[in-house]
Amino acid sequence: MPEISKMKKPDVKVVILGDMNVGKTSLLHRYTERKFRDTISTVGGAFYLKQWGPYNISIWDTAGREQFHGLGSMYCRGAAAVILTYDVTSWQSLAELEERFLSLTDTANHDCIYAIVGNKADLTDPRAQLPADPQSPAEGGEPGTGPRVPSACPTPPASPLSPGSPPQQVGREEAAALYGRVLRYKGLDEGSSLPADRMCFETSARTGYNVDLLFETLFDLVLPSILRKRTENQRSPTVDLEDYCEPPGRRRGCC
Amino acid sequence: MSVKAFELVPAVERDLLMGDKARINVECIECCGKHLYVGTNDCFIHHFLLEEVPSQKGGIKYSAQKLQQKYLGLKKPVAELRAASALERLIVLCDGVLFLVDMATLETVPSATGSGGAKIKGVTSFCMNGNPVNTDPFCVEIAVISSRRRTVQVYTVYEDRVQLVKEVTTAEQPSVVSLDGYFLCLALASQYMILNYTTGASQDLFPYNSEERRPIVKRIGREEFLLAAPGGLGMFANAEGVSQRAPVNWSESVIGAAVCFPYVVALDQDFISIHSMLDQQLKQSLAFRDGHILQDFEGKVVLASTKAVYVLVPLPLEQQIQDLLSGDRVEEALVLTEGAQPNIPRDRFQILHRRILQQAGFIQFGQLQFQEAQEYFRKGELDVRELISLYPLLLPPTSSFTRCHPPLHPFADLNHLAQGDLEKVLRCKRFLISYLGSVRGTEASRASREEVDTALLKLYAEQDHESLLDLLASDNTCLLADSSPWLEKHSKFFALGLLYRCNGQDSAALQLWIRVADGELQDSTRPDLYEYIVDFLTFCPNLDLVWRYSDWALKRDPKVGVQIFTKRSSGKDQSGQPMPDDVITYLEKHSPARLLYLEHLVLERRIKKEKFHSLLAVLYLEQVLSLLEGAPPPAPGQLSLARERLQALLRESNLYRVQLLLGKMEGCDQLLLERATLHGKLEDHGKALDILVHQLQDYSSAEAYCLWASSSSSQGAACRQQLLHLLLDMYLGGGAEERRGDLEMAAVDLLNRHGERFDAVRVLSVLPEGWSLQLLKPFLGRAVRTSVHASRTSRLALGLSRAENLQLLHDRLKERKKPILVSEKRGCHLCHNTFSCPDVVCLPGAVPVHTHCIAHRLSDSALNTHADSAPSKHVDSAPNKNSTQNSNHT
Ligand SMILES: Nc1nc2c(ncn2[C@@H]2O[C@H](COP(=O)(O)OP(=O)(O)OP(=O)(O)O)[C@@H](O)[C@H]2O)c(=O)[nH]1
Ligand SMILES: [Mg+2]
């Protein structure tokens, strides 16, 4: 039997998890195709190979439907980053992340990084309603209020944008709290991990708000993981003193 | 959906297998080269020879020939069959017993003596290792699921014996097994797992309820398995437990699956579904009744219903791609092509890929999706002539191009494509314009430069496009022969001229343009075509052309036409420029132009050549004379204008032949002023002034004459004084009695106006006695003031010069500020006696002398010269000692 041709082997894997209908497919589609279009509920899973500089990053879009839940840990195996996605208009979708999806990440890399992403921000945040096309960055709100800066006053639930919007919106601080619990679950020290305000995003696949930022932040963060994987693959018994890397987080001080 | 990727071809029909015995079913199959083995539920193995034969339709058919059949004697169905061709054995599972059968004879192989035998009992299922770890070619490795609870065994099978390698237990009862290297991939009761049988390391894959649904574990390649997953998925997993391909969504009740790159083929009870691994889409679905078995053998997918055997024959990749393209499914065709890249030799792939891209481009083009089309054309490196050839008449008949065969698209030409929709045609043309513009000049279109440029030219001309002229003005390879009728048809004569030029046919260009300028041909491209032609001739280096066509330009408008000569580069490099003499000769017939040209030479370029100056003066004079004679009286002002020009030339130029002009003016009483000027040129001032004073009685001109005639002299002031005196004398010398008063008044005026310019003493001596002081008051006032002024000015100048001189001496001394040594041993330079005291005078050059010696010397020279050149008196009163010290320092 002839060997099936191997595909371009990705250097690193990023997995998008989250309940059905939170917009995982739409996010990936917005990022890769720069469009928002109708989706059908994902069956099984799909992935996209992204060329990031000299690296190939595979981004897995998983199915949120309960039926496919069992496949999740397989997708997560060896993942360098996991995007835990909820729907900012659905409290339940945030709760599901902790109840159903967090345990799937047990198979991910030990140094896997986690991002908490509240999608459909266009439904709650006026800033997310502007088209965030990179060609016209001027439209994307004042640069001073960077999206990662935790807003001093959370989106007031009392002023919903449309009268019919669901009442149980999820605020940023709840996402940040979940992030803290994810770290605890992973047995990670909050002090030495990436801070919540860097790893919690509110996005809109519909307008593109923060979508590039999300993916590109993650790609930049997983680069060290790629480099390590590459050196592991060509591991030699000789210790390379030149290549020695200081473990992150511990900086050599003066005396 | 619906790509035709496979064709279902019958291999062994019911008749050959069981005839009309209704109870007999196919249980298992094995295919090894041309040999097909079928195990049935009545414990028979049937052996066929399967030959491929081409069918009339171009595909293939199978003809099966039954070689033999063998009853195994167990009355139980033959559950599984596997061939080990190197051993010439079939491994058979029947009634829970696994044993070996000779491939050729189908005889059961007796156990070798002394070994564990060639039988394994209590087997529920087994598989062969697709990636054996044993290097011995004469054995195969198998994994066996034992009917003992939760046990999997690995055996090595030899020709006549089997040998247990390893036995592992599992947490749950396994039902299906697959083996790759050391990796067992197992379907357990509630999940799939990967188990390394040497290390015992295991990896859970994902949950699956094997009791509810039939699990599938199919090795599809090195360390990669295809598994049936919940929700009707086909999941991929490698030995590390990682999924590297996206799952396909087949169905909940799949019986068997296999991979035939790039497709996943899955068998359901009533149909076969075919998904692409490249985009996970369902590509084809075939009805298949009573589906029972689906297996692939060395890339050949064989299926069986309960009664018959079929082969799923893949259609050639290229045909699949063409099918997709003919359904306008460009994206899919490309995904398929690109996905097949690793399976196709590099150069063949490139050709195929390019072709598909080009076809894709034409499909988009046909749908007027120009942006996409352009992208595909670019990526597919389309020979741009393929596209041009779609547009009628755009390709030059001389082009060697023929369309690629088989054709890249179904269109005969643009009209066929547009079906008479003119709007569409127009859009296509606009696209071609932009496309050609973008490929023009790129390396890719080098070979078809001429076609590209010519097509562009034609399109521009037809569409009245502004870039037509830009194209022709730039470096281009438009074919003249093919383009010129086209340009004529669209009345682009100006452009045609440019094209002639590009082809080095300037003369043809000029002829054409002249016809347009004369209104013989209509082309409104340039309303200023005449000026353009003049400009062209002006900068035309080919003098032949200039001589040939300037005539026309001069005739039409001498003033503009003469620019051909006057605006030519007058820079240093005069080579290749017409000689002015030749031009003048040439312009003989065009006298206004000749005049302008001479003016250009004389007045603008200031060429100092007698011939030009004389000729110009003569021409001016002739003009004046003809105006004077003027049968039709000249317009007012015209004469004076002409005379002014003449006079100016006569005054300003020193090069013309004065006598010649004087001769021509002979007998013309009206040109006295000019004559006076000419006499002036001859320095015959008496005659000149005589004309002015006595004949013209124009005193102001006489006065002006004096100033003018002296202005060119080297000794201006002296000469002027002389002339003024001459004039004064003429005034005072009298003339006719009745004019005496006038002349005297003129004399008084002259004196009073130019008091300072006369030699007052001389004037006083010639003035008539009777003139009152009052009359001459301005003159006298001016004369005295001038004299006083002169005296004061010179004294001032003297003072200033002295001061300057002093300053300079001071500076000089400062420059060479060395101590001046005076000692008893040194002598004075004037008297040569030694110094006795430090008071000395220093001459320039730091020469000390006695004070009395220099005083003496000065009083001597003061008597001889008036010039005051006293040396500065510098007394170095420093004591000797001090001076010596200073000198030591230096
Ligand atoms: N308003 C708004 N709607 C969104 C956004 N993203 C997705 N949606 C909508 O949410 C629905 C679900 O989107 P999907 O991307 O299919 O969700 P999913 O997470 O992939 O769902 P599963 O594949 O079933 O797990 C669709 O109707 C989208 O149109 C968003 O940013 N804003
Ligand atoms: Mg989805």
Side-chain angles (χ1 to χ4, degrees):
Chain A
M1 168 175 169
E3 285 296 324
I4 291 169
S5 56
K6 282 269 180 270
M7 353 193 50
K8 237 189 293 176
K9 200 162 161 65
D11 296 292
V12 79
K13 179 154 80 172
V14 175
V15 182
I16 312 177
L17 290 180
D19 202 1
M20 67 178 286
N21 212 37
V22 298
K24 300 179 293 297
T25 306
S26 305
L27 272 176
L28 184 56
H29 192 261
R30 160 62 76 180
Y31 179 63
T32 58
E33 310 272 312
R34 326 221 55 80
K35 280 189 257 200
F36 179 74
R37 60 145 195 238
D38 276 350
T39 53
I40 50 163
S41 182
T42 306
V43 175
F47 82 108
Y48 178 82
L49 216 50
K50 169 79 186 173
Q51 188 88 25
W52 182 251
Y55 308 109
N56 290 313
I57 298 180
S58 64
I59 312 171
W60 282 80
D61 172 27
T62 61
R65 258 166 38 207
E66 182 75 53
Q67 187 183 18
F68 302 111
H69 191 249
L71 306 177
S73 42
M74 219 175 107
Y75 289 133
C76 286
R77 184 161 289 128
V82 171
I83 301 175
L84 294 163
T85 318
Y86 63 94
D87 173 347
V88 290
T89 64
S90 157
W91 178 263
Q92 183 59 28
S93 72
L94 185 79
E96 289 286 332
L97 284 180
E98 204 168 0
E99 280 163 28
R100 276 208 293 143
F101 293 95
L102 192 51
S103 62
L104 297 179
T105 65
D106 292 354
T107 51
N109 285 349
H110 292 301
D111 58 354
C112 179
I113 54 176
Y114 296 87
I116 312 280
V117 174
N119 190 39
K120 307 195 188 178
D122 56 289
L123 298 178
T124 59
D125 184 348
R127 278 180 303 172
Q129 288 170 333
L130 299 168
D133 198 54
Q135 268 86 39
S136 52
E139 290 180 32
E142 336 74 304
T145 57
R148 273 190 254 115
V149 181
S151 84
C153 64
T155 322
S159 63
L161 285 160
S162 56
S165 65
Q168 281 189 305
Q169 292 178 358
V170 185
R172 285 168 193 274
E173 58 292 342
E174 282 134 338
L178 173 63
Y179 182 74
R181 292 199 295 279
V182 169
L183 294 184
R184 238 165 293 143
Y185 175 84
K186 292 282 154 192
L188 293 170
D189 172 29
E190 249 176 273
S192 60
S193 306
L194 292 159
D197 60 354
R198 271 193 82 187
M199 300 315 291
C200 295
F201 296 82
E202 283 195 353
T203 61
S204 167
R206 187 193 180 98
T207 64
Y209 176 71
N210 275 355
V211 173
D212 286 355
L213 178 80
L214 164 67
F215 285 102
E216 283 161 16
T217 304
L218 284 184
F219 294 165
D220 283 338
L221 288 171
V222 297
L223 276 187
S225 166
I226 300 178
L227 294 173
R228 193 174 47 254
K229 208 168 144 192
R230 288 215 166 163
T231 42
E232 261 172 33
N233 285 348
Q234 43 195 251
R235 191 168 31 196
S236 69
T238 332
V239 177
D240 191 342
L241 293 173
E242 308 266 297
D243 251 19
Y244 173 71
C245 286
E246 192 73 2
R250 227 199 314 140
R251 206 164 288 144
R252 200 183 294 158
C254 174
C255 306
Chain B
M1 203 191 52
S2 96
V3 188
K4 206 167 170 207
F6 292 93
E7 208 167 19
L8 192 61
V9 181
V12 181
E13 316 244 7
R14 183 190 172 120
D15 291 357
L16 264 179
L17 268 169
M18 63 279 304
D20 49 7
K21 293 181 214 152
R23 296 268 179 88
I24 298 177
N25 289 339
V26 173
E27 282 297 320
C28 56
I29 49 178
E30 170 64 303
C31 187
C32 180
K34 289 179 177 175
H35 297 271
L36 175 71
Y37 299 89
V38 179
T40 51
N41 59 348
D42 57 349
C43 207
F44 269 90
I45 297 178
H46 302 256
H47 181 188
F48 299 93
L49 192 65
L50 210 54
E51 298 268 15
E52 261 179 36
V53 285
S55 78
Q56 293 101 331
K57 285 184 288 175
I60 52 171
K61 277 195 328 194
Y62 283 96
S63 87
Q65 179 194 352
K66 190 161 191 166
L67 296 180
Q68 60 177 314
Q69 63 186 64
K70 177 88 184 168
Y71 177 55
L72 295 179
L74 294 168
K75 290 190 179 149
K76 289 285 164 68
V78 182
E80 282 178 50
L81 267 179
R82 288 287 178 272
S85 55
L87 318 179
E88 298 194 348
R89 294 290 177 264
L90 282 178
I91 305 170
V92 184
L93 174 63
C94 182
D95 195 19
V97 183
L98 190 139
F99 56 96
L100 303 177
V101 166
D102 188 291
M103 270 178 85
T105 63
L106 300 182
E107 293 293 340
T108 304
V109 177
S111 298
T113 45
S115 73
K119 269 197 177 119
I120 309 168
K121 290 188 181 151
V123 174
T124 57
S125 172
F126 78 100
C127 72
M128 308 240 296
N129 194 344
N131 177 22
V133 292
N134 198 319
T135 46
D136 179 359
F138 296 104
C139 67
V140 294
E141 293 156 28
I142 59 169
V144 163
I145 297 176
S146 166
S147 51
R148 275 173 38 218
R149 284 194 60 76
R150 299 185 286 133
T151 309
V152 178
Q153 295 159 328
V154 178
Y155 287 90
T156 308
V157 179
Y158 298 89
E159 197 180 24
D160 52 1
R161 66 195 162 92
V162 293
Q163 188 182 340
L164 181 65
V165 177
K166 186 86 184 182
E167 182 170 284
V168 286
T169 51
T170 50
E172 294 172 24
Q173 178 60 31
S175 56
V176 185
V177 63
S178 190
L179 181 57
D180 180 291
Y182 295 112
F183 294 105
L184 290 161
C185 185
L186 296 163
L188 304 183
S190 68
Q191 65 161 344
Y192 290 102
M193 71 179 295
I194 301 261
L195 182 61
N196 184 321
Y197 71 77
T198 52
T199 65
S202 72
Q203 184 76 268
D204 291 346
L205 293 179
F206 53 86
Y208 188 80
N209 190 335
S210 296
E211 266 115 57
E212 237 170 57
R213 301 219 175 276
R214 178 165 163 170
I216 293 176
V217 181
K218 173 82 199 156
R219 177 185 178 271
I220 61 159
R222 216 184 148 74
E223 296 186 358
E224 191 170 11
F225 303 93
L226 173 61
L227 311 165
L233 293 182
M235 277 289 278
F236 297 91
N238 68 8
E240 291 156 32
V242 175
S243 197
Q244 285 177 313
R245 304 173 200 270
V248 294
N249 181 22
W250 52 36
S251 78
E252 294 270 5
S253 51
V254 169
I255 298 163
V259 163
C260 182
F261 195 80
Y263 299 106
V264 175
V265 182
L267 175 67
D268 241 278
Q269 230 126 39
D270 293 313
F271 61 93
I272 305 162
S273 67
I274 293 156
H275 288 80
S276 167
M277 290 163 78
L278 303 171
D279 59 8
Q280 288 76 52
Q281 301 299 310
L282 177 62
K283 297 292 176 183
Q284 188 182 2
S285 154
L286 295 156
F288 190 68
R289 293 288 304 246
D290 293 329
H292 191 38
I293 303 167
L294 169 86
Q295 266 175 329
D296 58 320
F297 305 98
E298 291 151 342
K300 186 190 282 180
V301 181
V302 183
L303 295 109
S305 64
T306 46
K307 306 290 181 194
V309 182
Y310 300 81
V311 179
L312 200 57
V313 181
L315 295 177
L317 181 70
E318 278 155 65
Q319 190 181 331
Q320 293 178 39
I321 294 168
Q322 291 309 332
D323 281 355
L324 283 171
L325 286 176
S326 60
D328 288 352
R329 289 154 64 191
V330 173
E331 287 285 334
E332 283 171 78
L334 280 169
V335 168
L336 182 57
T337 316
E338 280 155 23
Q341 178 171 13
N343 299 12
I344 306 178
R346 212 182 124 91
D347 39 354
R348 231 195 88 208
F349 171 77
Q350 274 186 349
I351 294 171
L352 177 71
H353 190 219
R354 244 182 259 150
R355 190 184 153 82
I356 306 300
L357 283 166
Q358 294 172 3
Q359 284 184 286
F362 276 109
I363 288 171
Q364 300 288 13
F365 178 78
Q367 295 166 357
L368 309 191
Q369 307 279 347
F370 295 126
Q371 211 178 338
E372 291 81 355
Q374 176 157 2
E375 193 54 21
Y376 286 132
F377 289 152
R378 191 184 60 74
K379 282 199 204 141
E381 295 167 33
L382 176 76
D383 181 343
V384 46
R385 294 174 297 185
E386 283 284 354
L387 187 60
I388 300 175
S389 75
L390 261 180
Y391 296 68
L393 301 175
L394 283 197
L395 269 189
T398 51
S399 171
S400 60
F401 173 77
T402 49
R403 280 191 196 176
C404 142
H405 189 83
L408 293 169
H409 52 78
F411 312 118
D413 61 17
L414 200 56
N415 300 330
H416 172 212
L417 186 153
Q419 302 285 344
D421 183 340
L422 291 179
E423 161 70 18
K424 265 191 192 172
V425 172
L426 193 63
R427 288 181 58 195
C428 290
K429 283 183 174 168
R430 289 209 198 103
F431 166 68
L432 188 61
I433 287 179
S434 89
Y435 183 72
L436 292 178
S438 75
V439 301
R440 184 168 185 254
T442 61
E443 197 53 37
S445 68
R446 258 182 99 79
S448 39
R449 275 191 353 248
E450 292 180 348
E451 284 96 335
V452 170
D453 284 2
T454 309
L456 256 183
L457 175 101
K458 290 179 181 174
L459 285 168
Y460 284 156
E462 183 190 274
Q463 303 290 316
D464 228 348
H465 200 284
E466 68 228 350
S467 302
L468 176 63
L469 301 184
D470 293 340
L471 173 71
L472 287 165
S474 66
D475 220 7
N476 68 77
T477 48
C478 299
L479 290 172
L480 176 61
D482 188 39
S483 311
S484 63
W486 192 281
L487 290 172
E488 276 167 13
K489 183 175 137 204
H490 293 282
S491 292
K492 300 285 177 202
F493 297 107
F494 177 70
L496 180 54
L498 290 178
L499 183 59
Y500 279 133
R501 284 212 56 199
C502 299
N503 286 273
Q505 303 185 18
D506 286 0
S507 176
L510 278 168
Q511 278 172 18
L512 189 68
W513 287 337
I514 287 172
R515 287 172 67 197
V516 177
D518 284 344
E520 201 180 313
L521 296 171
Q522 298 304 319
D523 174 12
S524 57
T525 313
R526 288 203 69 131
D528 59 343
L529 186 58
Y530 169 70
E531 284 79 5
Y532 181 88
I533 296 171
V534 168
D535 226 41
F536 175 78
L537 287 170
T538 306
F539 296 100
C540 174
N542 181 348
L543 292 184
D544 262 5
L545 287 183
V546 176
W547 297 134
R548 189 135 36 105
Y549 294 104
S550 296
D551 227 18
W552 171 83
L554 288 162
K555 255 184 219 142
R556 184 165 164 143
D557 184 344
K559 272 210 195 76
V560 179
V562 77
Q563 291 175 1
I564 296 171
F565 302 103
T566 58
K567 282 209 180 148
R568 286 198 152 246
S569 120
S570 47
K572 284 213 181 83
D573 183 22
Q574 291 295 310
S575 60
Q577 298 290 355
M579 302 301 295
D581 290 304
D582 296 344
V583 177
I584 290 166
T585 323
Y586 181 80
L587 292 177
E588 207 105 48
K589 297 172 283 188
H590 308 278
S591 48
R594 186 164 60 149
L595 189 67
L596 288 167
Y597 182 66
L598 278 168
E599 281 180 338
H600 164 76
L601 291 180
V602 171
L603 304 179
E604 269 167 54
R605 285 175 62 192
R606 307 206 163 272
I607 290 184
K608 300 210 174 340
K609 222 169 150 186
E610 177 272 325
K611 187 178 166 192
F612 303 152
H613 287 246
S614 299
L615 189 52
L616 182 58
V618 168
L619 289 179
Y620 276 160
L621 179 60
E622 281 172 355
Q623 210 175 30
V624 171
L625 290 175
S626 80
L627 284 172
L628 284 172
E629 280 163 21
Q638 205 179 347
L639 176 63
S640 60
L641 202 73
R643 280 191 67 186
E644 258 162 43
R645 276 198 305 198
L646 174 62
Q647 286 164 8
L649 180 68
L650 294 181
R651 267 198 311 273
E652 257 127 66
S653 166
N654 294 320
L655 290 168
Y656 56 88
R657 281 158 57 198
V658 181
Q659 294 296 358
L660 174 78
L661 283 153
L662 268 176
K664 289 212 181 249
M665 277 182 212
E666 209 76 61
C668 179
D669 295 339
Q670 278 134 306
L671 300 178
L672 290 172
L673 198 59
E674 287 78 357
R675 258 209 259 168
T677 308
L678 289 171
H679 285 302
K681 282 281 163 186
L682 293 170
E683 306 211 2
D684 193 350
H685 301 303
K687 209 163 201 169
L689 286 175
D690 182 66
I691 292 173
L692 293 172
V693 174
H694 295 303
Q695 298 190 28
L696 272 175
Q697 299 175 12
D698 180 349
Y699 307 127
S700 67
S701 288
E703 200 177 311
Y705 175 88
C706 292
L707 300 182
W708 163 72
S710 60
S711 66
S712 56
S713 163
S714 52
Q715 297 145 356
C719 177
R720 189 166 57 214
Q721 199 177 59
Q722 217 176 326
L723 285 174
L724 286 170
H725 277 286
L726 187 62
L727 183 57
L728 183 67
D729 291 347
M730 206 169 275
Y731 286 154
L732 296 179
E737 197 59 44
E738 69 279 6
R739 283 187 57 223
R740 186 152 285 166
D742 274 359
L743 288 174
E744 276 186 5
M745 276 323 293
V748 172
D749 280 348
L750 185 68
L751 283 171
N752 285 344
R753 246 202 304 276
H754 299 279
E756 71 278 10
R757 291 189 167 135
F758 282 93
D759 179 350
V761 181
R762 206 170 131 197
V763 171
L764 290 179
S765 68
V766 297
L767 284 185
E769 290 295 325
W771 285 17
S772 73
L773 200 61
Q774 194 58 37
L775 193 65
L776 289 172
K777 195 177 162 204
F779 163 70
L780 290 171
R782 277 182 167 202
V784 171
R785 189 177 299 131
T786 309
S787 158
V788 171
H789 176 74
S791 133
R792 284 180 183 161
T793 311
S794 52
R795 272 157 64 192
L796 208 59
L798 183 65
L800 283 170
S801 302
R802 275 209 193 122
E804 193 190 8
N805 183 252
L806 208 58
Q807 183 66 43
L808 285 172
L809 280 171
H810 171 74
D811 289 351
R812 183 153 159 254
L813 264 174
K814 247 182 25 198
E815 269 303 295
R816 11 167 117 180
K817 195 174 186 182
K818 283 183 196 154
I820 294 156
L821 280 181
V822 181
S823 77
E824 286 91 349
K825 288 186 185 125
R826 295 192 66 177
C828 161
H829 267 247
L830 292 176
C831 70
H832 302 292
N833 291 325
T834 57
F835 295 103
S836 52
C837 70
D839 282 350
V840 294
V841 168
C842 211
L843 295 180
V847 179
V849 291
H850 287 117
T851 321
H852 56 265
C853 289
I854 193 66
H856 184 68
R857 173 56 105 46
L858 272 181
S859 55
D860 274 0
S861 60
L863 295 176
N864 298 339
T865 63
H866 215 68
D868 194 346
S869 60
S872 64
K873 189 175 176 187
H874 178 85
V875 178
D876 192 341
S877 57
N880 286 351
K881 224 186 346 174
N882 204 359
S883 305
T884 328
Q885 261 178 5
N886 279 351
S887 76
N888 280 349
H889 277 288
T890 46

